[in-house]
Amino acid sequence: MAGPGKINGLGLIKGLGAVATLIVAMLGVPAFLVIFVGNPLPASFQWSLIVSALTRPDDGTILVSLIAILAWLAWAVFTASVVVELLALLSRQRLRIRMPGLGGPQRLASALVLTIASLAAAAPQASHAAPGHSAPAHAAPEIVRPQIDPTQLETVAEVTQTIREEGHREVALPSGTTEATSGRSYVVQRGDDLWTLAERFYGEGREWRRIAAANPNLLTGGPDHLEAGWRLQIPDGSPGHGQTHEVERGESLSSIANLAYGDPEQWPRIFEANRFQLDDPDELPVGLRLVLPGKPSASDRGAVKAAADEGAAANSHGPTGTGKQSVERPAKDADPTPLPTPVPPAPPQSSEQASPVEAPSEQAVEESVADPLLAGLAGVGGLLAAAVVSGTAVRRRRQLQLRPLGRRISQPTQAAWLVESQLGSRQQPMGLRTLDLATRAISAYCHHAGHPLPMLEVATVTDDVLLLQMSDPGLLGPDGFQIDGTTWRLAGADVDRLRSTPGLSDAVRPYPALITAGATADGGQVVLDIEAVQLTSIESADRASAAASLAAIAVELSCSPWAEELELILIGTCAALPAALGQHNVTYAEDLDSVLDRLERRASAQRNQSSAHSVAAHRIDPDLADPWVPTILLVNTPLSAVEQRRLRQLVLSEPPASIAAVAVGLDTAPCRLVLSEADGGSAGDGPVARIEPYGLAVRPQLLAERAADAVIELVETTGRTDTTPAPWWFDEETAAEPDPPDNVTYLGRRSGGWRARDNQGDEGKGAAMERQDHTRGMSSSHPVLRLLGPIELHGAAGVAPARAARQCLEYCGWLLEHPGTTAAEMGTVMGVAEGTRRSNVSRLRSWLGSDELDQPYLPDAYSGRIFLHPAVSSDWQRLQILTSRGINRASTSGLEAALQLVRGAPMADAAPGQWHWAEGLRTDMLSAIRDIGVELTGRALAESNLDLARWAASRALLVAPGDELLLVARIKTEHRAGNHSEVERLTLQLAAHARLLEVDLLPETVDVLQEMMEGQVRARLA
């Protein structure tokens, strides 16, 4: 192999051949055409001449001219490709232009240009050595090839940058490093290219992609230009080296990492090893064959976990999409006698890697808050997350229904908001709904057909299959289930068949004590019926893990769809949960003995009446359900031998009673959830669990104490009835306040909307004024994100991306509502991997494009803070500007214009798991639009403009269906118009909606309804 600075014979022949080819193609071809063919086009384009040429006898002239025209076109395409590749080479691949449909010519031009560049780069090096003599030893010292430890990737990356800048100088790497990948390492010499290296190491140039894929931190996976000094990892030459895995439906990188390494947190290793075929870790095509790196060492696990936790934040050394790293020089070389090297100016930071230098914004997520919460939520499964999210949504609907005009419902704290965002991204709502529908269908079928109710032991819920393990074989079930012995299988395609089960709408839930015990290796949620097993013991050497498991059970039972159909008693766990819920059936007790006394009396009464082998068999009859509502006791206090004996007698005696218990550290129990650390893993790998007597191994569901407190705080916030003055309503009592209420969506901090304040600093004030100037015009020539209905982006200068377009819309919404955010904050709150976030931001930047002055709508964030161009706006901001003086002080025409912006419910087509961070924003939109509808309808009725009143109330009801004040406004309108049938229909709709939400109608509403329906208000004593 030629040494550094020498030109081998093959390389010289290739280089000279490329030069000759380029000269002939770019100069020889046009010279030949000019000399021998001339101008193939006619002197003038006259119709008569064209007809004459086509109708006279063929002498070959036309064919020669067509060939010449095609030759000129081919020459122009090739020349343009060469120019494009020269620009890419001179800009060091920073300027890459892809010409649509011309990939072949561009690849040929790239190969020629790179070959010539390699020859030109190597020639000066070769001239330094005297002819006929070998170069002195110090002229080209052999570079040390240390091995690299993944835990020191940052240090190695910095030294790699030094190697690039110093060429072949010897640079000492930090001690203690080990090799990161299998195979060998190679330091790039001047004149090297990937094709030549593949020929050298594999004997086949077409294998260059293997080298590109093995070096994702340096290369993009494409035919990159190599720089001298780069240290490349060369994979082993045997084609069968390493393992692969073919992606199956429902798999993710986390589940594959769990299968391959026993740790889902190792997914970044798989992603980095497959960067040549993966752009987004969240988009995994079925059938794709992934390369699996070797099993990680303990230090590898620590490094990958640290990288995953940090999310490859702003100053990450990962690839930037240009094939180069953005790194800083080490402060001092590790070599005790370093050679002096001039320090070049620091390269400009990209928008994805800039370090934040400004103070965080008001909405910034503090690391001291985020890190413990995210760690505490790591063990939460999709069913628990869906239960909390859906439960809080119902509670929030009640808040909105009871909210007075011009008031704002209570807003969550930062910790509660972050927990809601994270749970929103983790939830598995379809799995929760499918499980609920399936159990109700079983109840309805058995009651209607007179069949015995099967006893459920264990269920497994995945994205597309529900498996129920029953205790008895040979039983029948509703249409849709495939029954094989004791296993009942429900495929996702058959779920809708359950809806035709007779009596489904009135069915009582037969298994209301279902809880998630943990997750299988492939991500399936394992569900236990703790009422059926009667007594469960949680066992762990780590008391905190046992407490976290019990807290998860408490929260899931409290928030699940079947929570109303059981009684839950907590002792020693989640003491604040009952008060936060405000429900009669969830209580906390200090004394176990008094609870046992009461439950023993109830159990005795039930056993005197029971004749069935299962209490659930009584429950499927709606007329008998109430006396058999299960009582679940959760205990996290040390129990004496006497208390344990009383507890066992209470729940295990025959015949069974509708009482079950889960306690920590029981001596004996028929069901045991045994927690332990993963075999051979570190503490950071998290616990595993074994469910006995079923022999199931799962990763247990855990809700750590701080995360549980934040969940309880969220539940408490969504149940409060107190309100605060709304920023969209002018209130003379609060108008003079120096500071507005804390409001995540407070427009005054961004675009001069509702009572804007000048307390945001000079830069913030300038940005707000500039955005206001732009959004007042709302020109269609600038991007407008439409949120008040289906989510759309209008006026973008670029083309919508072929994939992840809806994710890009969500990113645009985040940046509009959180100007000045950082990459780390964005990834944390939105719950996405850093690679996904970076890819989608890049797609959004291309989609938005630039304005007429060529200013990008999503500029690079050199300060570390990401801002959109001031001209980018939304219909939500437009609504706020139209009502900036307060809804009750805005003009009638302004209110009409604001309602005309409404096309449906806010973010109407957002899928579950998307826009989960925007729940507070959504409720503000709902509240403001409802208040606009009520105010405008009242004005229209005062002016006897029934058409406007009807339109205003109807448009606002699109956003807030069933709202009491809007329906009353509609009832008044139809009563004034003489539409008595419509008045009756709306009245019944209002009453039904109130019953559904379990709220009482306002006294004023009752008076209006009595007057409209009965002609007068009923008489009452004072």
Side-chain angles (χ1 to χ4, degrees):
M1 183 173 67
K6 294 185 179 181
I7 310 174
N8 57 43
L10 180 60
L12 179 61
I13 294 173
K14 283 186 176 181
L16 294 177
V19 171
T21 302
L22 201 61
I23 292 175
V24 170
M26 296 192 65
L27 301 179
V29 170
F32 174 84
L33 292 174
V34 169
I35 295 173
F36 294 101
V37 178
N39 184 6
L41 300 177
S44 61
F45 290 91
Q46 297 181 9
W47 181 250
S48 59
L49 295 178
I50 295 175
V51 172
S52 175
L54 293 175
T55 55
R56 71 170 180 256
D58 181 20
D59 58 358
T61 304
I62 295 179
L63 179 61
V64 172
S65 298
L66 289 176
I67 294 175
I69 291 173
L70 292 176
W72 277 110
L73 290 176
W75 175 83
V77 168
F78 179 76
T79 302
S81 300
V82 171
V83 172
V84 166
E85 292 305 315
L86 282 174
L87 290 175
L89 179 64
L90 295 175
S91 65
R92 298 196 173 192
Q93 307 299 314
R94 292 187 179 88
L95 180 61
R96 295 289 297 168
I97 301 174
R98 300 295 183 191
M99 297 188 297
L102 301 179
Q106 195 168 354
R107 284 193 293 271
L108 176 60
S110 175
L112 292 173
V113 169
L114 289 179
T115 303
I116 296 173
S118 301
L119 178 65
Q125 290 290 324
S127 64
H128 290 312
H133 299 278
S134 62
H138 64 272
E142 180 165 348
I143 299 194
V144 179
R145 294 183 179 134
Q147 299 180 341
I148 300 172
D149 186 349
T151 61
Q152 299 184 5
L153 287 178
E154 181 174 351
T155 305
V156 173
E158 292 174 346
V159 177
T160 302
Q161 176 71 6
T162 304
I163 294 176
R164 293 189 210 168
E165 295 166 353
E166 297 184 0
H168 296 290
R169 294 178 182 173
E170 182 175 352
V171 180
L173 295 175
S175 61
T177 57
T178 58
E179 186 170 320
T181 61
S182 61
R184 72 196 84 180
S185 64
Y186 172 76
V187 178
V188 175
Q189 313 297 323
R190 293 187 181 275
D192 283 342
D193 58 70
L194 289 176
W195 186 280
T196 303
L197 293 181
E199 286 183 332
R200 178 180 304 168
F201 291 109
Y202 304 129
E204 177 57 67
R206 286 191 293 269
E207 294 291 321
W208 64 268
R209 291 187 183 276
R210 298 182 60 191
I211 304 176
N215 295 272
N217 288 335
L218 289 173
L219 306 176
T220 66
D224 299 90
H225 169 67
L226 304 181
E227 293 189 12
W230 280 2
R231 184 178 297 276
L232 300 180
Q233 290 295 325
I234 309 298
D236 286 348
S238 58
H241 180 75
Q243 295 182 347
T244 62
H245 175 83
E246 184 173 337
V247 178
E248 298 179 357
R249 184 175 301 278
E251 286 189 320
S252 64
L253 289 182
S254 297
S255 65
I256 295 172
N258 196 41
L259 286 173
Y261 311 123
D263 183 1
E265 297 299 327
Q266 296 296 322
W267 68 263
R269 302 184 72 248
I270 303 178
F271 178 58
E272 291 300 328
N274 292 272
R275 288 297 291 268
F276 66 100
Q277 58 181 339
L278 286 179
D279 293 329
D280 188 336
D282 292 336
E283 297 180 3
L284 209 57
V286 175
L288 182 68
R289 185 163 294 278
L290 298 176
V291 177
L292 299 182
K295 289 193 173 183
S297 63
S299 60
D300 291 338
R301 285 194 293 268
V304 173
K305 279 184 175 294
D309 291 341
E310 294 171 4
N315 49 359
S316 165
H317 301 296
T320 63
T322 63
K324 301 183 180 181
Q325 290 177 310
S326 176
V327 296
E328 299 175 357
R329 289 178 55 86
K332 185 176 181 180
D333 199 298
D335 196 328
T337 58
L339 297 175
T341 304
V343 180
Q349 292 174 308
S350 72
S351 62
E352 313 309 325
Q353 296 175 317
S355 300
V357 296
E358 301 175 11
S361 63
E362 287 188 355
Q363 293 80 31
V365 179
E366 298 177 6
E367 292 184 5
S368 60
V369 174
D371 292 345
L373 289 180
L374 297 180
L377 293 171
V380 172
L383 299 182
L384 187 153
V388 174
V389 171
S390 59
T392 54
V394 172
R395 295 165 65 84
R396 201 170 266 133
R397 283 200 294 272
R398 294 194 188 107
Q399 285 183 308
L400 293 171
Q401 184 78 0
L402 299 173
R403 181 186 64 86
L405 195 65
R407 305 290 292 182
R408 188 165 180 259
I409 63 174
S410 299
Q411 298 296 298
T413 63
Q414 185 185 69
W417 173 69
L418 181 60
V419 161
E420 185 174 21
S421 298
Q422 292 296 314
L423 293 179
S425 64
R426 293 170 178 267
Q427 66 173 324
Q428 193 178 352
M430 295 306 296
L432 185 69
R433 294 170 191 161
T434 299
L435 180 60
D436 184 36
L437 174 62
T439 56
R440 289 191 297 112
I442 292 173
S443 174
Y445 173 80
C446 292
H447 178 62
H448 187 267
H451 294 311
L453 179 74
M455 182 179 294
L456 174 63
E457 293 182 343
V458 180
T460 303
V461 183
T462 66
D463 290 336
D464 51 6
V465 174
L466 171 64
L467 293 176
L468 304 181
Q469 191 67 39
M470 302 300 186
S471 60
D472 299 319
L475 299 180
L476 300 178
D479 182 37
F481 277 101
Q482 300 175 16
I483 301 177
D484 182 11
T486 60
T487 301
W488 294 32
R489 185 179 189 275
L490 177 65
D494 297 327
V495 171
D496 286 338
R497 295 166 62 183
L498 298 178
R499 303 186 190 280
S500 61
T501 305
L504 179 65
S505 59
D506 298 324
V508 177
R509 293 180 174 94
Y511 317 114
L514 299 178
I515 60 99
T516 304
T520 60
D522 58 0
Q525 302 289 301
V526 177
V527 178
L528 292 179
D529 183 4
I530 56 177
E531 183 188 20
V533 299
Q534 298 177 304
L535 184 61
T536 304
S537 174
I538 301 177
E539 303 172 9
S540 175
D542 180 14
R543 188 79 184 185
S545 295
S549 177
L550 195 65
I553 294 174
V555 171
E556 186 169 17
L557 286 176
S558 309
C559 299
S560 65
W562 40 84
E564 291 287 342
E565 301 183 20
L566 58 81
E567 179 189 9
L568 183 63
I569 303 175
L570 308 176
I571 299 178
T573 183
C574 299
L577 182 58
L581 284 166
Q583 297 176 186
H584 69 282
N585 60 325
V586 180
T587 58
Y588 185 84
E590 297 285 352
D591 181 27
L592 177 61
D593 288 334
S594 61
V595 173
L596 293 177
D597 291 340
R598 179 174 69 85
L599 294 182
E600 284 169 349
R601 292 191 295 270
R602 185 183 180 208
S604 176
Q606 286 187 345
R607 289 184 173 114
N608 290 334
Q609 300 294 327
S610 179
S611 59
H613 75 287
S614 167
V615 294
H618 296 290
R619 197 178 299 129
I620 63 174
D621 185 349
D623 295 331
L624 301 177
D626 288 347
W628 299 96
V629 168
T631 298
I632 308 299
L633 186 62
L634 304 183
V635 185
N636 187 25
T637 56
L639 301 183
S640 66
V642 174
E643 290 173 326
Q644 291 197 41
R645 185 177 66 253
R646 288 186 67 188
L647 185 60
R648 286 194 295 271
Q649 289 177 347
L650 172 67
V651 300
L652 298 180
S653 298
E654 294 292 339
S658 61
I659 300 173
V662 181
V664 174
L666 295 177
D667 293 338
T668 61
C671 182
R672 298 165 56 232
L673 183 63
V674 184
L675 309 181
S676 61
E677 291 297 328
D679 294 338
S682 62
D685 291 331
V688 295
R690 190 178 69 258
I691 306 174
E692 298 295 352
Y694 306 111
L696 296 175
V698 298
R699 189 165 294 276
Q701 177 164 260
L702 305 176
L703 185 61
E705 181 178 7
R706 187 161 181 178
D709 291 342
V711 171
I712 293 172
E713 185 178 7
L714 172 65
V715 171
E716 188 271 336
T717 300
T718 57
R720 292 168 57 180
T721 57
D722 58 308
T723 57
T724 58
W728 54 82
W729 196 267
F730 182 81
D731 187 344
E732 292 184 358
E733 295 181 1
T734 60
E737 291 180 359
D739 292 307
D742 181 20
N743 182 0
V744 173
T745 63
Y746 196 81
L747 186 64
R749 303 196 185 279
R750 299 189 308 280
S751 62
W754 297 316
R755 284 174 284 164
R757 304 290 183 182
D758 291 329
N759 58 352
Q760 48 198 338
D762 293 339
E763 182 179 351
K765 284 188 279 188
M769 293 174 62
E770 188 175 4
R771 187 178 295 277
Q772 181 180 3
D773 292 340
H774 281 287
T775 55
R776 286 189 190 280
M778 208 66 172
S779 170
S780 60
S781 62
H782 296 299
V784 178
L785 184 64
R786 303 179 70 184
L787 300 172
L788 305 180
I791 306 166
E792 301 170 351
L793 180 61
H794 286 205
V799 178
R803 62 177 179 175
R806 304 206 65 80
Q807 295 180 38
C808 292
L809 293 177
E810 184 177 0
Y811 284 36
C812 185
W814 168 268
L815 295 176
L816 276 171
E817 294 301 315
H818 301 84
T821 189
T822 65
E825 177 190 353
M826 193 174 182
T828 297
V829 174
M830 302 187 76
V832 295
E834 174 60 15
T836 303
R837 188 206 62 80
R838 185 184 293 117
S839 298
N840 286 338
V841 168
S842 178
R843 293 186 182 107
L844 176 60
R845 181 176 290 113
S846 300
W847 189 1
L848 291 172
S850 303
D851 64 7
E852 61 275 6
L853 300 178
D854 203 28
Q855 296 297 315
Y857 287 120
L858 179 51
D860 289 326
Y862 294 110
S863 68
R865 300 281 172 181
I866 308 174
F867 291 90
L868 288 169
H869 189 291
V872 182
S873 60
S874 69
D875 52 359
W876 171 234
Q877 292 178 348
R878 172 66 172 164
L879 182 146
Q880 295 175 72
I881 293 172
L882 289 168
T883 58
S884 58
R885 298 175 63 244
I887 289 173
N888 52 331
R889 299 179 67 192
S891 65
T892 300
S893 61
L895 296 181
E896 286 188 62
L899 274 186
Q900 286 173 350
L901 296 172
V902 177
R903 299 169 292 111
M907 296 165 277
D909 55 350
Q914 296 178 344
W915 295 83
H916 47 79
W917 54 269
E919 186 58 28
L921 171 65
R922 191 184 68 86
T923 58
D924 275 353
M925 291 177 175
L926 292 171
S927 300
I929 294 170
R930 183 265 239 167
D931 286 0
I932 292 174
V934 173
E935 175 70 18
L936 185 55
T937 304
R939 294 186 190 183
L941 288 176
E943 298 172 359
S944 298
N945 189 344
L946 299 185
D947 289 338
L948 177 59
R950 185 179 291 112
W951 173 83
S954 299
R955 181 61 66 96
L957 281 168
L958 286 174
V959 172
D963 181 81
E964 184 171 337
L965 297 185
L966 287 173
L967 284 175
V968 168
R970 276 291 316 274
I971 291 171
K972 289 180 178 179
T973 302
E974 299 307 329
H975 183 265
R976 292 270 294 271
N979 297 331
H980 300 296
S981 60
E982 187 68 3
V983 169
E984 183 176 355
R985 185 189 69 82
L986 293 170
T987 300
L988 295 176
Q989 178 184 343
L990 175 57
H993 192 72
R995 284 195 299 270
L996 178 65
L997 293 179
E998 300 179 350
V999 297
D1000 294 328
L1001 296 176
L1002 297 172
E1004 310 90 83
T1005 300
V1006 174
D1007 292 344
V1008 170
L1009 296 183
Q1010 288 180 357
E1011 185 176 359
M1012 301 297 170
M1013 297 293 293
E1014 302 175 4
Q1016 62 180 4
V1017 178
R1018 296 176 187 176
R1020 304 162 196 174
L1021 289 175

